[in-house]
Amino acid sequence: MLMAEITFVRSCVLAPGLFYKIEEHLWLRPEADGSITLGYTDVAQTTAGRILVVSFRPVGARYKKGKTIAIVESGKWLGPLRAPMDGTLVAANEILLADAGLVNRSPYKKGWIVRFKPDELDLTGFVAVADAAQEYENFMERRNLDDCIHCEGYEFPDD
């Protein structure tokens, strides 16, 4: 269902204007300078539980598609964030080094993970929010996932 511009799937928030890779719980936002901002979805933060540590590969280095560019760790999950295409890691959200919980509290705003400059923007495997809602519903049904849970201080994308 659509409320304002935020889309909800089983209480999980999907922010407008982003592209989603459902199986990886990844969101992508193209930036004006040709870079992309990457982060984990609301479903990811719920599934992972409290995020404890975020670490990054070296900024300024080139990475091939599929190579790990950051690692996000919770008490029950360790997840590599992989380069979605060939390119250069241009920024890491270093605030997460001191407060990894921002990934839980603000997955679409302050809890972004990295900025990446792709050699060529390729959205293969990503879907816009309208399609992401149905794909996430199907994914959650197949995996028997519960509704999303939002911790105290959760920031909705339009706050």
Side-chain angles (χ1 to χ4, degrees):
M1 113 184 158
L2 191 63
M3 185 173 155
E5 288 193 39
I6 299 172
T7 300
F8 292 90
V9 177
R10 298 185 184 198
S11 301
C12 302
V13 174
L14 296 176
L18 303 179
F19 295 91
Y20 295 88
K21 190 173 253 188
I22 305 304
E23 295 286 330
E24 294 179 26
H25 300 299
L26 184 66
W27 62 261
L28 176 154
R29 181 180 59 231
E31 303 295 348
D33 66 359
S35 69
I36 55 176
T37 300
L38 300 167
Y40 278 121
T41 65
D42 194 19
V43 179
Q45 73 82 20
T46 292
T47 303
R50 188 168 156 248
I51 303 298
L52 303 173
V53 177
V54 178
S55 59
F56 307 100
R57 297 295 192 245
V59 171
R62 291 190 43 74
Y63 297 90
K64 292 282 191 191
K65 178 180 179 176
K67 292 296 183 186
T68 298
I69 54 178
I71 296 174
V72 178
E73 183 177 349
S74 74
K76 62 180 182 176
W77 181 76
L78 178 69
L81 189 149
R82 299 182 189 282
M85 50 209 80
D86 293 351
T88 303
L89 184 60
V90 294
N93 187 357
E94 293 187 5
I95 230 166
L96 299 177
L97 296 173
D99 187 5
L102 278 173
V103 176
N104 295 107
R105 295 189 315 276
S106 187
Y108 301 111
K109 293 169 75 178
K110 296 175 193 161
W112 62 274
I113 312 288
V114 297
R115 291 216 171 90
F116 191 78
K117 177 80 171 185
D119 293 345
E120 183 177 330
L121 182 62
D122 178 7
L123 295 175
T124 302
F126 286 88
V127 293
V129 70
D131 294 326
Q134 187 59 56
E135 287 195 28
Y136 249 129
E137 177 61 44
N138 296 341
F139 177 86
M140 293 175 81
E141 181 72 27
R142 282 192 317 273
R143 300 277 170 89
N144 273 335
L145 296 178
D146 293 327
D147 292 1
C148 282
I149 298 169
H150 300 123
C151 59
E152 186 175 333
Y154 184 87
E155 290 184 296
F156 285 88
D158 66 346
D159 283 355

